[in-house]
Every structure is written in structure tokens, then in C-alpha cells.
Amino acid sequence: MIDSAAFEIRLARDAADLVASQRLRYRVFVEELGGGGETVDHENRLESDRLDPVYDHLLLVDPARAEGEHVVGAYRLLPSDRLERAGQFYCDSEYDLSPLIGTGRKLLELGRSCVDPDYRGGAAMLLLWNALADYVLAHDIEILFGVASFHGTDAEMLKAPLSWLHHHHLAPEHMRPRARPEAYQPMDLVPEEALDRRAALAAMPNLIKAYLRLGGFVGEGAFIDRPFNTTDVLLLMDTKAMSDKHRSFYTRRFEGRA
């Protein structure tokens, strides 16, 4: 049993933290899930890209692990007030974000979410989400978004969950990003009346279900990312449109603070 009280949760503060995060991403996205492409450095066992230095990296740290392997959970974050410096959001390569950017609201892109296999099923993801809630409140974020992935690129195998997302969770049209045409995958693969809700949700990754429970939406179409061996959907969450119950997940984090 891993003692969650021993974890540290913080933003990356130096190059060693960043490299440890990139090493965790390699273990999860490359070794475990079979990803590849130009972001992968097999020799040094790192998954990284040119945007890493501009983003904030929210880290879950186990101090008992060796230096370089100390990061056991991670989220990569970019608030929209840093977009000019970054040049683009990561999601720009997969989705046309102009409807979302055109809202003029303060955005936060989430990405590269991962947890070491040995730390799943416990408090790790909850700790990351609690810290993310703090970040959202501290930066006055209005809309969170990012790609979430299904493992594999065979749309036929994913037709039930993709169709459920299309029929029940499309974002409002005025702010709905659309997958770029070079790898666009329609999601309305099964008529709504033919869908089995239980089967569709059972085939849905836990991260996607967590966003949906908080009132999340998806963009139009999925994006087939063959180098990473994933089928990606664009998730959005409007913090201002949450129900009171959902919003309390965030606001309770700042209660009692000076």
C-alpha cells in the first residue's frame, strides 16, 4: 500500500523535474501504450517536444523514489495568456481551435496527463485533480480543454463510445473545435437509438468519464494520431457553466484560505 501522505504535489521547478516528467511520459505513452513519432527519444527514454519549456508542468512526486524517477504523475498546462509566447496550443495540430479562442474567455490547455502504473487506482489522480483545481482558481480560468485519447486507431472498435460522445456530449456550436481534415474521424458511427449506454461507457477511458461527470463536452470529430497509436477527442469544460454541485469540487479547495 502506497502512503499518499508522502506525496509532494507542485509545479516543476527545475530541469531535473522536467526531465523526470518526460521520462514518466516515455514509460506510459511509449513503453506501455506503444506511441512513437518525432517527440520520442528512445536513447534517453524521454517523450518531449518544443513546447515543454513554455508550459507549466504539474507534478506528483514520490520523494522515496530515486532522483530522475521521482515524478509519478503529471499534467502539462498552458494558460491562454501565455499563448503568444508558445506560438500555438498543442491541440492546434489536431483541432481547429478558432471557435474556442474566439470566445475571448480565459482558457487553459491540459495535456500529457499520465500516472505511473504502480500508482494507479489510489489517490494519485485525485491529488492531481485537487492541485489542478487550485491552479484553475488562482489563474481565473474559465474554460479548460485538451485532447484525451482512446488506445488504438481502429474506429470500428471504438464506435460505441465515440458515438455516445457525439450524440450526448457535443460542445455548444459557437465554441466547438473541429478535428483537422488530415486525420478527421467522424464520431456518429452508431445511431443514437441503437446505442447501449452501459457498453459505451464501459469502453470509455476513465479520464474522459471524469470530465463528463464534471459537465464536460467534446469537439466535432475525433483525430487519428497514428504515430501515438491513439484516437483523440477534444474535451472542453466551462467552469462558469458547471452546476453548483460540480463547481463545489473547485471552490471548496480555497475555502478557509487567507
Side-chain angles (χ1 to χ4, degrees), residues 32 37 52 70 112 123 130 157 170 181 183 193 215-216 232 244 246:
E32 181 181 352
D52 273 337
H70 58 286
R112 295 299 202 273
N130 285 344
M157 299 292 293
L170 275 182
E193 62 273 13
D232 297 341
D244 290 341
H246 291 149

Side-chain angles (χ1 to χ4, degrees), residues 219-241:
E220 178 72 38
F223 185 92
I224 304 296
D225 187 346
R226 297 197 183 280
F228 247 65
N229 192 33
T230 60
T231 297
D232 297 341
V233 295
L234 195 286
L235 287 165
L236 307 88
M237 192 163 64
D238 185 341
T239 62
K240 302 299 183 185

Side-chain angles (χ1 to χ4, degrees), residues 134-155:
D134 286 352
Y135 188 102
V136 165
L137 288 167
H139 291 80
D140 297 318
I141 299 300
E142 296 178 273
I143 299 175
L144 293 78
F145 74 98
V147 292
S149 301
F150 291 86
H151 183 50
T153 58
D154 184 349

Side-chain angles (χ1 to χ4, degrees), residues 103-144:
T103 65
R105 300 174 69 190
K106 192 157 185 184
L107 312 175
L108 178 67
E109 184 186 46
L110 315 176
R112 295 299 202 273
S113 171
C114 54
V115 174
D116 186 287
D118 292 341
Y119 293 77
R120 294 174 196 163
M125 201 66 209
L126 179 60
L127 289 170
L128 281 169
W129 273 60
N130 285 344
L132 177 60
D134 286 352
Y135 188 102
V136 165
L137 288 167
H139 291 80
D140 297 318
I141 299 300
E142 296 178 273
I143 299 175
L144 293 78

Side-chain angles (χ1 to χ4, degrees), residues 38-39 47 49-51 55 76 83 86-98 101 109-110 112 145-147 177-184 222-228 230 232 234:
E38 61 184 16
T39 67
E47 193 281 316
D49 65 22
R50 67 173 186 81
L51 296 173
Y55 279 61
R76 191 169 79 162
L83 178 58
Q88 68 171 92
F89 288 115
Y90 173 79
C91 293
D92 277 323
S93 62
E94 298 191 3
Y95 282 80
D96 176 6
L97 300 177
S98 53
I101 295 171
E109 184 186 46
L110 315 176
R112 295 299 202 273
F145 74 98
V147 292
R178 181 179 175 86
R180 295 199 177 275
E182 60 268 25
Y184 182 91
F223 185 92
I224 304 296
D225 187 346
R226 297 197 183 280
F228 247 65
T230 60
D232 297 341
L234 195 286

Side-chain angles (χ1 to χ4, degrees), residues 179-224:
R180 295 199 177 275
E182 60 268 25
Y184 182 91
Q185 170 59 56
M187 296 199 299
D188 54 340
L189 303 172
V190 180
E192 183 177 3
E193 62 273 13
L195 280 172
D196 180 326
R197 177 182 181 276
R198 181 174 295 181
L201 293 178
M204 200 100 56
N206 288 334
L207 182 63
I208 295 178
K209 287 189 284 191
Y211 279 104
L212 298 182
R213 284 193 295 270
L214 286 172
F217 301 105
V218 297
E220 178 72 38
F223 185 92
I224 304 296

